[in-house]
Amino acid sequence: MKVAIVGLGYWGPNLVRNFLSQPDVEKVVACDMREDRLKVIKQKFPSVHVSNDCESVLKGECELIVIATPVATHYPIAKKALENGKHIWVEKPFTASVAEAEELVEIAEARNLKIFVDHTFIYNGAVLKMKELVEKGELGNILYFDSERINLGLFQRDVNVIWDLAPHDLSIMQFILGKKAKAISANGIANFNGKENIAHISIYFEDNCFAHFHVNWISPVKIRRMIVGGSKKMLVYDDMENFEKIKVYDSGIDIKSPEGIHEALVQYRIGDMFSPKVNQTEALALGARECLDAIKENRQPLTNGYDGLEIVKLLEASDKSLKGMGRIVEIQELVHF
């Protein structure tokens, strides 16, 4: 298969490296308008073909177009690629609006083309292990999902901190819980450039489960941590740990009778902790493999356009809530296929 990567900024070189390493990729074209970026890529990966002409690349011989450009450009580039009969890979977030995402999904369906949305963490060994533990019922009934992604981060010119950082955590939540969000509330503040740099998001589910997200570009410390609380056990995922990224705690509360909660007869349970082994394979390599296999097998990839659309719905709802200073926004019916 021939693959073109459009956009050679921060993430582009990682995409070039991972597609070059796939045995069934016979040619990789790297495209960017900036000559200095093309020069860097050519020096680092001599076998790559380079181009500064995006239009010709979108119409050329490559079957898969990988789009790693600013968010606002995802839709026009993706639409042109699909209309030229290309499968597409799009970085997160999928698009800048729900309407754009829906249109791209419709075009792809009509032409039997595949959309892969790069929710990279879904291919992370720790996240796959979390999914396995939840599906096996190891944690019991999931009561809450709590996530923190903060650091002294790079301010984005085109999106706020929610659109920049939260797609990672929202996609992980969606993958692990598989629950339908009922409503969302978001609070945040823009201290510098008119775009929120700190935000808290709360998501409510039909079955009384609750999710909370804290994203922040101006934290003095870097934290990448999630807690999944279940009725049987609780799990902590710390992506900053080199070892034991996941720890499962046999902790919780036991209520001996329905009346117990009112009679202060709640007993705290603090038991053993164990850390399961997780696959260390690079998530982006697994994502590239999944994308290529889905195209070959004519099936939806694990992280497809519908998943991207659902995350964009949550992001758009967050923006509406932000403008209302935390106003509850009901989530529209999510698309299912």
Side-chain angles (χ1 to χ4, degrees), residues 233-258:
K233 295 177 183 174
M234 300 183 187
L235 175 156
V236 178
Y237 165 36
D238 190 340
D239 198 41
M240 298 306 297
E241 293 283 352
N242 291 323
F243 305 99
E244 298 186 342
K245 285 180 178 292
I246 293 179
K247 293 176 180 173
V248 181
Y249 294 83
D250 184 12
S251 300
I253 61 169
D254 291 325
I255 301 173
K256 299 300 182 186
S257 69

Side-chain angles (χ1 to χ4, degrees), residues 251-282:
S251 300
I253 61 169
D254 291 325
I255 301 173
K256 299 300 182 186
S257 69
E259 295 78 23
I261 191 69
H262 302 295
E263 298 170 0
L265 294 178
V266 175
Q267 292 186 351
Y268 295 99
R269 173 169 42 79
I270 301 175
D272 295 336
M273 181 280 288
F274 73 95
S275 181
K277 184 179 179 182
V278 301
N279 186 351
Q280 298 293 331
T281 305
E282 184 181 3

Side-chain angles (χ1 to χ4, degrees), residues 49-329:
H49 300 256
V50 296
S51 172
N52 61 3
D53 186 350
C54 183
E55 288 289 335
S56 64
V57 167
L58 296 181
K59 295 176 182 174
E61 60 181 343
C62 293
E63 296 104 317
L64 172 64
I65 305 294
V66 177
I67 301 165
T69 56
V71 179
T73 64
H74 286 183
Y75 166 74
I77 296 174
K79 186 177 179 182
K80 281 185 183 176
L82 290 170
E83 289 176 341
N84 284 318
K86 313 296 185 185
H87 304 287
I88 58 172
W89 164 304
V90 188
E91 283 305 312
K92 62 83 187 167
F94 181 25
T95 59
S97 74
V98 170
E100 292 177 353
E102 288 177 337
E103 185 181 347
L104 294 180
V105 168
E106 286 177 8
I107 295 172
E109 285 288 1
R111 296 172 181 245
N112 192 29
L113 296 168
K114 306 307 172 200
I115 298 176
F116 181 99
V117 178
D118 189 15
H119 293 154
T120 314
F121 275 93
I122 302 308
Y123 303 94
N124 178 290
V127 173
L128 291 169
K129 179 57 71 175
M130 290 166 69
K131 172 78 168 174
E132 178 188 323
L133 292 169
V134 169
E135 284 192 337
K136 284 182 176 176
E138 189 78 26
L139 307 186
N141 219 12
I142 302 303
L143 306 174
Y144 69 90
F145 181 100
D146 190 65
S147 173
E148 193 170 20
R149 186 174 295 274
I150 65 175
N151 61 289
L152 207 55
L154 180 66
F155 275 66
Q156 303 294 321
R157 287 176 293 180
D158 55 340
V159 295
N160 65 19
V161 70
I162 291 180
W163 284 76
D164 179 38
L165 297 182
H168 292 307
D169 308 304
L170 293 171
S171 62
I172 293 171
M173 174 204 72
Q174 180 178 273
F175 178 63
I176 290 176
L177 301 188
K179 293 175 182 286
K180 178 183 172 185
K182 180 182 177 185
I184 194 166
S185 170
N187 289 281
I189 190 165
N191 297 111
F192 304 101
N193 63 353
K195 298 190 181 303
E196 288 77 11
N197 46 274
I198 303 172
H200 290 262
I201 309 165
S202 298
I203 295 182
Y204 302 86
F205 297 90
E206 297 282 358
D207 61 355
N208 206 32
C209 182
F210 175 77
H212 175 261
F213 305 84
H214 174 201
V215 285
N216 186 345
W217 277 334
I218 55 169
S219 164
V221 294
K222 184 174 183 177
I223 298 175
R224 301 282 188 267
R225 187 168 53 207
M226 293 178 184
I227 301 175
V228 182
S231 57
K232 292 181 181 176
K233 295 177 183 174
M234 300 183 187
L235 175 156
V236 178
Y237 165 36
D238 190 340
D239 198 41
M240 298 306 297
E241 293 283 352
N242 291 323
F243 305 99
E244 298 186 342
K245 285 180 178 292
I246 293 179
K247 293 176 180 173
V248 181
Y249 294 83
D250 184 12
S251 300
I253 61 169
D254 291 325
I255 301 173
K256 299 300 182 186
S257 69
E259 295 78 23
I261 191 69
H262 302 295
E263 298 170 0
L265 294 178
V266 175
Q267 292 186 351
Y268 295 99
R269 173 169 42 79
I270 301 175
D272 295 336
M273 181 280 288
F274 73 95
S275 181
K277 184 179 179 182
V278 301
N279 186 351
Q280 298 293 331
T281 305
E282 184 181 3
L284 193 54
L286 294 177
R289 188 66 258 154
E290 166 65 6
C291 178
L292 296 171
D293 286 345
I295 293 170
K296 281 184 180 177
E297 296 163 11
N298 191 27
R299 61 171 173 79
Q300 290 286 355
L302 179 60
T303 50
N304 52 59
Y306 293 97
D307 298 305
L309 168 60
E310 293 195 9
I311 298 305
V312 173
K313 282 185 176 182
L314 295 175
L315 296 172
E316 199 168 273
S318 295
D319 271 352
K320 289 180 182 176
S321 181
L322 272 177
K323 290 175 183 172
M325 298 182 71
R327 177 177 67 86
I328 293 287
V329 175

